[in-house]
Amino acid sequence: MSDVLLSARDLTKRFTVRGVYGRKAEFTAVDGVSFDVGRGETLAVVGESGSGKSTTARMVAKLMEPSAGVLEFEGEDITHAGAAQLARYRADVQVVFQDPFSSLNPRHTVERILMAPLDYQGIAPPGDRRTYTKELMERVGLNPDHSQRYPAQFSGGQAQRIGIARALAVSPKLVICDEAVSALDVSVQAQVIELLLRLQRESGFSYVFIAHDLAVVRRIAHRVAVMSKGKIVEQGPCAQVFDDPVDPYTRTLLAAIPRINPEWDRRRRAATA
Ligand SMILES: Nc1ncnc2c1ncn2[C@@H]1O[C@H](COP(=O)(O)OP(=O)(O)O)[C@@H](O)[C@H]1O
Ligand SMILES: [Mg+2]
């Protein structure tokens, strides 16, 4: 990969947990994870619940300090970033979470929500607040006349579009989607995925796309990393990992997908014949 945006080397997160008899014990949630994300690329992170995907995402977003390992962004070590470097990183890297309603302040209007990242950065919106809010709403397919409404006045899919618009407000280079479409109905999910793809085509940013639905991953990702018990057990281009998995865990994961893609079925039959 010629143009690496983000590079994680041996990222590790240990938590102190209460073990038997209330004794403190160390638990390694993420165990020496390494991956690169290229400019304009989508890296999907898949794996069962509890495999360490969200913890990895939180470390990459710098919402949580790693216990060990190195994080580089545009060639700069940002593992122990200072305040100024961190402020810049917080604009360059945005997160969209699974539950839009719990990540949007229910007492703030859409306009206030969308302008919050700019306010935090101390940046004036291009044009004025109202104009830029409407522009962002249009970009994500929301009615710009609804800029003074509150999150509860929107459906789940629309609320997730607000979360996506907020992520876009400061023109990020990387957007981390942590199960961002997992809670949506299938038809709404498909629309939001098409939106995410269009936004990437328009703006050229990268995604770290965490999901457990491999059909979704297949649609959106260029490369995929498979996590199990805190480790990446396999990573590579989507087609390679899905069509020709090397790791036994990846095979189990793939075997568990409902048969929705006839092409996969054909290949699987061919492979086992
Ligand atoms: N703050 C925390 N303290 C202790 N354990 C945690 C904490 N956050 C996550 N874990 C544990 O780390 C493991 C990985 O969690 P997580 O990264 O959320 O997995 P995933 O997103 O793949 O479902 C789980 O066993 C989880 O219980
Ligand atoms: Mg998670």
Side-chain angles (χ1 to χ4, degrees):
M1 194 189 316
S2 55
D3 199 2
V4 176
L5 179 69
L6 176 95
S7 174
R9 287 290 164 268
D10 293 319
L11 269 194
T12 298
K13 185 67 190 182
R14 286 183 284 268
F15 291 115
T16 304
V17 290
R18 294 249 165 230
V20 264
Y21 310 118
R23 232 179 263 151
K24 280 188 185 170
E26 285 235 303
F27 165 70
T28 308
V30 176
D31 193 358
V33 156
S34 299
F35 56 85
D36 289 340
V37 184
R39 247 177 239 280
E41 183 189 56
T42 299
L43 173 73
V45 180
V46 303
E48 81 245 306
S49 172
S51 56
K53 304 183 297 295
S54 292
T55 305
T56 302
R58 281 191 206 107
M59 289 192 284
V60 170
K62 293 206 66 76
L63 300 171
M64 182 183 267
E65 280 291 307
S67 310
V70 175
L71 211 51
E72 276 183 14
F73 190 74
E74 298 187 308
E76 267 182 70
D77 189 336
I78 46 113
T79 324
H80 309 287
Q85 207 184 6
L86 200 57
R88 223 178 325 122
Y89 192 71
R90 296 234 183 279
D92 287 339
V93 179
Q94 296 290 313
V95 190
V96 181
F97 295 98
Q98 174 166 2
D99 178 0
F101 291 110
S102 68
S103 61
L104 304 174
N105 189 323
R107 286 177 298 279
H108 289 178
T109 62
V110 175
E111 179 174 307
R112 187 160 171 199
I113 289 167
L114 297 190
M115 293 303 103
L118 289 102
D119 293 340
Y120 174 81
Q121 293 286 334
I123 309 170
D128 57 67
R129 296 173 79 83
R130 187 63 47 93
T131 312
Y132 191 48
T133 298
K134 287 176 184 279
E135 215 176 287
L136 285 167
M137 291 182 81
E138 274 169 359
R139 275 187 75 194
V140 300
L142 289 169
N143 183 344
D145 296 337
H146 296 166
S147 66
Q148 300 311 307
R149 293 193 178 181
Y150 294 88
Q153 294 173 275
F154 294 88
S155 69
Q158 289 169 334
Q160 197 55 298
R161 286 171 194 263
I162 300 172
I164 294 165
R166 176 177 58 183
L168 297 180
V170 283
S171 308
K173 294 171 181 167
L174 174 67
V175 178
I176 301 171
C177 297
D178 189 355
E179 306 273 9
V181 301
S182 305
L184 305 174
D185 291 343
V186 176
S187 64
V188 178
Q189 191 182 65
Q191 290 163 11
V192 174
I193 288 162
E194 292 314 307
L195 170 68
L196 292 171
L197 284 165
R198 173 170 61 77
L199 293 169
Q200 187 178 50
R201 276 198 303 276
E202 288 169 1
S203 306
F205 51 73
S206 312
Y207 286 118
V208 169
F209 190 87
I210 295 173
H212 57 262
D213 183 339
L214 299 187
V216 168
V217 166
R218 180 105 196 190
R219 176 80 190 97
I220 201 164
H222 303 107
R223 285 189 313 122
V224 56
V226 182
M227 284 191 77
S228 176
K229 301 186 177 79
K231 291 190 161 83
I232 292 181
V233 294
E234 179 159 7
Q235 64 176 314
C238 247
Q240 183 191 311
V241 172
F242 284 174
D243 295 340
D244 194 14
V246 176
D247 185 82
Y249 174 73
T250 310
R251 291 201 188 141
T252 317
L253 204 64
L254 288 169
I257 320 178
R259 303 169 149 232
I260 41 164
N261 186 326
E263 174 63 8
W264 296 0
D265 271 2
R266 196 189 59 72
R267 289 184 193 214
R268 210 174 293 138
R269 274 196 306 272
T272 52

